[in-house]
Protein backbone atom coordinates (compact mmCIF):
# COMPACT_ATOMS: atom_id res chain seq x y z
CA UNK A 1 0.00 0.00 0.00
CA UNK A 2 2.89 2.35 0.78
CA UNK A 3 4.33 1.91 -2.74
CA UNK A 4 0.95 2.54 -4.40
CA UNK A 5 0.62 5.85 -2.53
CA UNK A 6 4.16 6.89 -3.56
CA UNK A 7 3.44 6.09 -7.23
CA UNK A 8 0.18 8.08 -7.14
CA UNK A 9 1.99 11.08 -5.61
CA UNK A 10 4.71 10.95 -8.29
CA UNK A 11 2.15 10.70 -11.10
CA UNK A 12 0.20 13.62 -9.67
CA UNK A 13 3.26 15.90 -9.59
CA UNK A 14 4.35 14.84 -13.09
CA UNK A 15 0.91 15.62 -14.50
CA UNK A 16 0.91 19.11 -13.05
CA UNK A 17 4.46 19.91 -14.10
CA UNK A 18 3.85 18.67 -17.65
CA UNK A 19 0.66 20.70 -17.95
CA UNK A 20 2.37 24.02 -17.31
CA UNK A 21 3.05 26.13 -20.35
CA UNK A 22 6.33 27.94 -20.51
CA UNK A 23 6.40 30.91 -22.81
CA UNK A 24 6.29 34.65 -23.07
CA UNK A 25 3.99 37.27 -24.51
CA UNK A 26 5.04 38.95 -27.75
CA UNK A 27 3.44 42.28 -28.69
CA UNK A 28 3.81 44.45 -31.75
CA UNK A 29 2.26 46.68 -34.37
CA UNK A 30 1.84 46.02 -38.10
CA UNK A 31 2.15 49.13 -40.29
CA UNK A 32 2.59 49.88 -43.99
CA UNK A 33 6.29 50.38 -44.74
CA UNK A 34 5.76 53.54 -46.82
CA UNK A 35 2.74 55.30 -45.32
CA UNK A 36 3.23 54.07 -41.73
CA UNK A 37 -0.57 53.51 -41.51
CA UNK A 38 -1.65 50.58 -39.30
CA UNK A 39 -2.86 47.45 -41.10
CA UNK A 40 -6.15 46.45 -39.48
CA UNK A 41 -7.00 42.74 -39.58
CA UNK A 42 -3.56 41.46 -40.60
CA UNK A 43 -2.84 37.85 -39.64
CA UNK A 44 0.23 37.44 -37.42
CA UNK A 45 1.53 34.09 -36.20
CA UNK A 46 4.61 32.22 -35.02
CA UNK A 47 5.91 29.63 -37.49
CA UNK A 48 6.21 25.96 -36.53
CA UNK A 49 3.94 25.88 -33.49
CA UNK A 50 1.33 23.22 -32.78
CA UNK A 51 -1.28 24.37 -32.00
CA UNK A 52 -0.77 27.53 -34.04
CA UNK A 53 -0.06 30.67 -32.02
CA UNK A 54 -1.51 33.61 -33.88
CA UNK A 55 -3.70 36.71 -33.77
CA UNK A 56 -5.35 39.38 -35.87
CA UNK A 57 -4.32 43.00 -35.56
CA UNK A 58 -6.78 45.41 -33.97
CA UNK A 59 -7.93 48.86 -35.14
CA UNK A 60 -4.50 50.32 -34.42
CA UNK A 61 -2.56 47.48 -36.07
CA UNK A 62 -1.52 46.05 -32.68
CA UNK A 63 -1.33 42.34 -31.82
CA UNK A 64 -0.57 40.17 -28.79
CA UNK A 65 0.71 36.59 -28.97
CA UNK A 66 0.65 34.64 -25.68
CA UNK A 67 2.61 31.54 -24.65
CA UNK A 68 5.25 31.95 -27.36
CA UNK A 69 7.80 29.11 -26.93
CA UNK A 70 11.17 29.81 -25.36
CA UNK A 71 13.39 29.40 -28.43
CA UNK A 72 14.34 31.17 -31.66
CA UNK A 73 11.07 32.10 -33.42
CA UNK A 74 10.06 33.51 -36.79
CA UNK A 75 7.03 35.75 -37.03
CA UNK A 76 4.91 35.59 -40.19
CA UNK A 77 2.47 38.33 -41.18
CA UNK A 78 -0.09 38.19 -43.99
CA UNK A 79 -2.42 40.85 -45.31
CA UNK A 80 -4.53 41.00 -48.47
CA UNK A 81 -2.76 42.98 -51.20
CA UNK A 82 0.68 42.69 -49.53
CA UNK A 83 3.42 40.11 -49.86
CA UNK A 84 3.96 37.81 -46.87
CA UNK A 85 6.39 39.23 -44.31
CA UNK A 86 8.80 36.94 -42.43
CA UNK A 87 10.75 38.40 -39.53
CA UNK A 88 14.33 37.60 -38.78
CA UNK A 89 14.63 34.92 -36.11
CA UNK A 90 14.21 36.35 -32.64
CA UNK A 91 14.93 34.63 -29.37
CA UNK A 92 12.28 34.40 -26.65
CA UNK A 93 13.73 33.74 -23.19
CA UNK A 94 12.24 33.30 -19.74
CA UNK A 95 13.64 36.68 -18.60
CA UNK A 96 11.37 39.69 -18.87
Amino acid sequence: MKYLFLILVILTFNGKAGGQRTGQTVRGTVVDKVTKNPLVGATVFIQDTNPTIGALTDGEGKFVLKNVPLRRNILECRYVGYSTFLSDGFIVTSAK
Side-chain angles (χ1 to χ4, degrees), residues 7-39:
I7 292 171
L8 287 175
V9 169
I10 291 171
L11 290 175
T12 302
F13 287 122
N14 278 341
K16 288 184 180 181
Q20 293 176 348
R21 291 187 164 223
T22 55
Q24 289 288 353
T25 300
V26 174
R27 303 168 195 271
T29 305
V30 179
V31 296
D32 181 279
K33 188 175 183 177
V34 176
T35 66
K36 305 297 185 215
N37 290 330
L39 298 180

Side-chain angles (χ1 to χ4, degrees), residues 24 27 36 45 65 73 78:
Q24 289 288 353
R27 303 168 195 271
K36 305 297 185 215
F45 61 95
L65 301 173
N73 293 287
R78 296 182 183 177

Side-chain angles (χ1 to χ4, degrees), residues 1 6 8 11 14-15 18 21-22 34 40 47 49 51 54 56 58-59 64 69 77-78 82-84 91 96:
M1 193 65 160
L6 181 61
L8 287 175
L11 290 175
N14 278 341
R21 291 187 164 223
T22 55
V34 176
V40 179
Q47 285 189 335
T49 56
L56 291 175
D58 65 10
V64 177
C77 181
R78 296 182 183 177
Y82 288 78
S83 59
T84 300
I91 298 173
K96 293 229 173 189

